[in-house]
Amino acid sequence: MQEFSETGLPWDQNVFKAYLAYEKTPGLTGESEQHPVRVAQLFNNVAAADTQLQALSLLAYIPEDAYGQLERRFGKETTDFAREISAHMRTNWAYIDEASPKVKAFVMADNITWIDELQNKFYDIAQAVNEAQENGEQPQVQMPMIPSQRVLDNIAKFAVNSSGFPTLDGEYIDKIEEFRRSLPEKLEVFGLKAPPVPEFKPFAETGLLDSPDVKNAYAALAANPRVRADDAEVAVEAAQLLSSQPSTRNPVAIAATLLDVGIGWRGPDDFKFLGNRVSDDVLDLFEKYNVRDRGAPEGLVNAPVEYRQSALAFATVILHRSLKNLDKMFTFINDNPDRFEDSQAKLIKSTQLVQMGGLVKSAQKFLAELGDAAEAPELKGLYETKIETAEAFIAKNTPKPILMLPAPKKKPGKDFDL
């Protein structure tokens, strides 16, 4: 780690004290060791007079276990800033619109620095790939952590023009636009493409139940840049299914389904931030239950009816989509015999049929456990139909065993001797 005199940071008492605390931070090694210093250096360039922000940049990466000591040395304001940054970091800045101006400034500086560091890593990777190819060797490179363009855009949407640092705002916009242009080339090195972006229609066009709970949950889902395209589609489809049946037009169940299915990973910070966006009933269901588990601590039939209906809708959509995708795969294989060897096609089909069979067994077990507890006869009937359709597909596409018939008896001939 470099000496403070080598950083170019100002000889300010608070900055120096923050640097000494940062030096003792565990877990910072290699590139991550210099990252906080580079963020502070960036603030020194765009806001030299704000030494407090430079000090805070060095303290932002200190683990929460040390917050007690941090408050004794630097005060409550500094500790609150570090705590706020930690909460937003853990949620990947999904709720940056609620952040304070200083935190918005920090996140822009943090990501500018991150993109610059990533650019240097790709220079090294490109050089390693070229050298390996020149030597006729297979390149051995490690995939670096690449920031999500949707997260970067979400930060720009809510942090630019509200951070209090116009120069930093302009630099951030330039940096993410440069990153957007160069990202396809970076991903091409690893044979990758940027993941698809979720598409959210205006609420009035979704067919979802017109309710404040559902509207707020849909808005929270659409605003979260961590949501994957596939999860968003399944979440909306399951919520649409609940909205379409008389017995399941429960606004709490539909709203919780949108969040539960759409936000695959969540933690305590998500619950805290979402408390400002959805009702207590929806938040309570989202916090305590997960439809992907297909179970509940108190037993499925004793869980809230909203959860039971949500779990049944999710299971129905998953089975429908799985069967639809499998049918597409089989059709493609059958329509393109020149692209698959016969043995390869059989192996692919048999493997997929075994997986579908496992999914059907799981569906049958879930339905037997749930019974009529979902209080959704239309939905239960639809799920039973999906199971039967999947069973018929498996039976239709499973090769029939070839029976070994006994050899015909030899008729007595001239050489026959009793």
Side-chain angles (χ1 to χ4, degrees), residues 300-301 305 308-309 312 366-378 380-381 384:
L300 189 58
V301 295
V305 67
R308 288 178 254 147
Q309 292 181 350
L312 183 55
F366 169 71
L367 188 59
E369 182 182 356
L370 183 65
D372 295 320
E375 301 176 21
E378 308 98 338
K380 181 186 176 186
E384 290 172 334

Side-chain angles (χ1 to χ4, degrees), residues 39-48 53-54 57 105-106 109 165 168:
V39 176
Q41 289 170 335
L42 176 57
F43 276 122
N44 190 34
N45 291 335
V46 300
L53 194 48
Q54 295 174 48
S57 299
F106 171 85
F165 296 92
L168 184 64

Side-chain angles (χ1 to χ4, degrees), residues 48 57 120 188 205 212 225 242 347:
S57 299
N120 293 332
E188 189 177 353
E205 300 177 12
L242 291 172
L347 178 61

Side-chain angles (χ1 to χ4, degrees), residues 258-323:
L258 287 169
L259 298 178
D260 191 0
V261 179
I263 304 177
W265 180 92
R266 66 277 193 138
D269 297 298
D270 289 279
F271 306 141
K272 182 185 72 173
F273 286 120
L274 285 170
N276 301 325
R277 303 170 188 239
V278 299
S279 71
D280 292 341
D281 290 338
V282 173
L283 185 63
D284 186 64
L285 203 64
F286 175 58
E287 184 174 355
K288 293 180 180 178
Y289 299 94
N290 189 325
V291 294
R292 298 178 191 274
D293 295 340
R294 284 190 177 182
E298 67 271 47
L300 189 58
V301 295
N302 296 318
V305 67
E306 292 87 356
Y307 170 70
R308 288 178 254 147
Q309 292 181 350
S310 178
L312 183 55
F314 172 70
T316 303
V317 170
I318 289 297
L319 185 56
H320 171 76
R321 289 168 66 93
S322 299
L323 186 59

Side-chain angles (χ1 to χ4, degrees), residues 62 87 94 109 135 178 215 246 253 265 285 299 313 320-321 330 355 408:
I62 291 179
N135 296 328
E178 175 191 341
K215 285 182 177 179
W265 180 92
L285 203 64
H320 171 76
R321 289 168 66 93
F330 275 44
Q355 292 180 1

Side-chain angles (χ1 to χ4, degrees), residues 93-351:
W93 315 107
Y95 311 98
I96 191 64
D97 56 316
E98 297 186 25
S100 63
K102 281 190 180 295
V103 168
K104 290 179 178 179
F106 171 85
V107 64
M108 287 193 291
D110 182 67
N111 279 278
I112 288 172
T113 305
W114 188 12
I115 292 173
D116 285 340
E117 291 167 352
L118 182 64
Q119 185 65 35
N120 293 332
K121 286 182 182 179
F122 268 99
Y123 284 139
D124 295 338
I125 290 171
Q127 184 176 353
V129 169
N130 290 334
E131 289 178 358
Q133 290 176 343
E134 290 175 359
N135 296 328
E137 301 172 353
Q138 185 70 23
Q140 300 293 328
V141 294
Q142 185 176 1
M143 180 73 173
M145 181 73 73
I146 299 178
S148 163
Q149 186 67 54
R150 292 180 59 231
V151 172
L152 296 176
D153 291 343
N154 195 56
I155 293 169
K157 180 179 180 181
F158 294 108
V160 171
N161 297 328
S162 62
S163 70
F165 296 92
T167 303
L168 184 64
D169 293 345
E171 187 168 344
Y172 180 76
I173 292 297
D174 292 342
K175 188 64 64 176
I176 66 170
E177 289 304 319
E178 175 191 341
F179 179 78
R180 192 192 312 278
R181 290 191 297 270
S182 63
L183 182 59
E185 181 182 356
K186 289 179 170 62
L187 293 176
E188 189 177 353
V189 174
F190 298 94
L192 301 174
K193 292 183 179 180
V197 177
E199 295 183 4
F200 292 96
K201 298 179 181 178
F203 183 82
E205 300 177 12
T206 62
L208 296 173
L209 181 68
D210 190 356
S211 156
D213 274 336
V214 180
K215 285 182 177 179
N216 291 337
Y218 184 77
L221 184 69
N224 194 319
R226 291 181 301 163
V227 174
R228 299 187 308 149
D230 189 60
D231 287 342
E233 287 181 10
V234 175
V236 173
E237 285 182 26
Q240 287 171 333
L241 185 56
L242 291 172
S243 299
S244 67
Q245 305 300 322
S247 61
T248 56
R249 290 184 186 138
N250 185 323
V252 174
I254 297 170
T257 298
L258 287 169
L259 298 178
D260 191 0
V261 179
I263 304 177
W265 180 92
R266 66 277 193 138
D269 297 298
D270 289 279
F271 306 141
K272 182 185 72 173
F273 286 120
L274 285 170
N276 301 325
R277 303 170 188 239
V278 299
S279 71
D280 292 341
D281 290 338
V282 173
L283 185 63
D284 186 64
L285 203 64
F286 175 58
E287 184 174 355
K288 293 180 180 178
Y289 299 94
N290 189 325
V291 294
R292 298 178 191 274
D293 295 340
R294 284 190 177 182
E298 67 271 47
L300 189 58
V301 295
N302 296 318
V305 67
E306 292 87 356
Y307 170 70
R308 288 178 254 147
Q309 292 181 350
S310 178
L312 183 55
F314 172 70
T316 303
V317 170
I318 289 297
L319 185 56
H320 171 76
R321 289 168 66 93
S322 299
L323 186 59
K324 183 178 179 181
N325 290 336
L326 189 59
D327 185 54
K328 283 184 178 180
M329 179 188 294
F330 275 44
T331 300
F332 181 81
I333 292 174
N334 294 336
D335 291 347
N336 297 273
D338 55 320
R339 300 186 62 171
F340 300 90
E341 295 182 3
D342 187 52
S343 59
Q344 182 186 23
K346 289 180 179 178
L347 178 61
I348 294 174
K349 287 183 176 181
S350 63
T351 301

